């Protein structure tokens, strides 16, 4: 495209506002193109579909074998995320919304929250780098269409360019590699 890529790290809940205002050109952040978001932004083709995982302190792993066992538990959840929507379906869940996964991991490790729901590759990356955490046997029953790249409404040229690049990356089997590398980088911050 003849452009230099500048990556900005920001809270998930701020992404759509930054996109709509024109301060960023597109959003690549595990964003599911749900009906509400489609009203605000345009999306590329889906590029990835992640499993969800429940992360708990290692000593509590056996307490949470089913989603029902999470009723009434305190959760650290990324604000504005699909995981927040999942947590809201758990009866009597106490949800602490946070902007970044690193902050959620700190809250979990310090005992301020009992669990979190996050993408499984992200959870696995954090477990490699943070001692004392585990993935519970409880598995969120959530079906999604996958993740897409958000683009300012009406910028079809950008969507077309992104789709062309995604097609190439998919044919080269690069997406899973990128997800793994990005998850590892995020966990090391």
């Amino acid at each position: 495209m003849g452009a230099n890529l500048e990556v900005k790290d920001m809270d998930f809940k701020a992404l759509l506002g930054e996109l709509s205002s024109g301060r960023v050109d597109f959003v690549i952040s595990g964003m599911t193109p749900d009906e509400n978001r489609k009203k605000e932004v345009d999306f590329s083709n889906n590029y990835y579909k992640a499993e969800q995982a429940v992360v708990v302190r290692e000593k509590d792993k056996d307490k949470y074998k089913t989603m029902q066992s999470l009723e009434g538990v305190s959760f650290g959840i990324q604000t504005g995320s699909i995981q927040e929507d999942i947590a809201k379906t758990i009866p009597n869940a106490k949800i602490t919304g946070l902007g970044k996964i690193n902050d959620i991991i700190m809250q979990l490790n310090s005992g301020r929250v009992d669990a979190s729901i996050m993408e499984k590759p992200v959870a696995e990356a954090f477990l490699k780098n943070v001692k004392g955490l585990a993935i519970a046997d409880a598995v969120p029953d959530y079906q999604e269409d996958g993740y897409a790249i958000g683009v300012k409404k009406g910028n079809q040229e950008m969507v077309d360019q992104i789709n062309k690049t995604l097609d190439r990356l998919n044919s080269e089997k690069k997406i899973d590699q990128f997800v793994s590398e990005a998850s590892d980088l995020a966990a090391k911050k």
Side-chain angles (χ1 to χ4, degrees):
M1 291 180 65
N4 290 322
L5 179 66
E6 178 186 348
V7 177
K8 295 182 178 184
D9 183 20
M10 57 187 68
D11 284 356
F12 190 84
K13 67 182 176 192
L15 296 176
L16 293 182
E18 292 291 303
L19 187 59
S20 295
S21 72
R23 288 189 287 269
V24 298
D25 295 312
F26 54 89
V27 173
I28 306 175
S29 185
M31 186 163 291
T32 301
D34 64 23
E35 291 310 311
N36 286 332
R37 290 177 180 149
K38 286 180 181 178
K39 293 174 188 171
E40 294 182 51
V41 300
D42 290 331
F43 284 97
S44 70
N45 297 333
N46 290 350
Y47 65 87
Y48 185 75
K49 189 171 184 173
E51 290 179 59
Q52 304 299 319
V54 177
V55 180
V56 298
R57 286 180 293 284
E58 201 168 42
K59 65 180 180 141
D60 296 333
K61 184 181 186 303
D62 292 335
K63 287 184 190 178
Y64 306 115
K65 294 200 177 285
T66 66
M67 290 305 288
Q68 290 77 18
S69 65
L70 292 164
E71 290 183 15
V73 168
S74 63
F75 285 87
I77 298 291
Q78 191 171 38
T79 305
S81 68
I82 292 300
Q83 294 81 15
E84 183 178 40
D85 294 341
I86 296 168
K88 286 178 179 178
T89 68
I90 299 169
N92 302 312
K94 299 168 195 80
I95 299 171
T96 299
L98 297 161
K100 298 191 179 206
I101 301 290
N102 286 327
D103 295 336
I104 293 167
I105 294 295
M106 285 185 353
Q107 294 279 318
L108 184 56
N109 229 0
S110 68
R112 291 188 187 107
V113 298
D114 296 317
S116 182
I117 301 169
M118 58 185 69
E119 292 176 13
K120 192 170 186 179
V122 172
E124 290 169 340
F126 272 96
L127 267 57
K128 286 185 216 170
N129 295 296
V130 180
K131 299 295 179 219
L133 299 179
I135 294 176
D137 291 337
V139 177
D141 182 26
Y142 183 78
Q143 300 298 317
E144 63 171 82
D145 293 330
Y147 299 146
I149 298 171
V151 176
K152 188 173 182 176
K153 199 85 168 147
N155 191 346
Q156 190 58 46
E157 181 180 351
M158 178 73 76
V159 171
D160 293 342
Q161 285 289 330
I162 289 170
N163 283 336
K164 183 178 172 185
T165 300
L166 288 175
D167 289 344
R168 179 181 54 81
L169 293 173
N170 278 319
S171 72
E172 295 171 359
K173 309 280 190 239
K174 292 284 191 181
I175 300 290
D176 286 337
Q177 174 190 336
F178 292 158
V179 169
S180 178
E181 290 171 359
S183 296
D184 285 343
L185 283 173
K188 292 177 183 175
K189 280 187 174 181

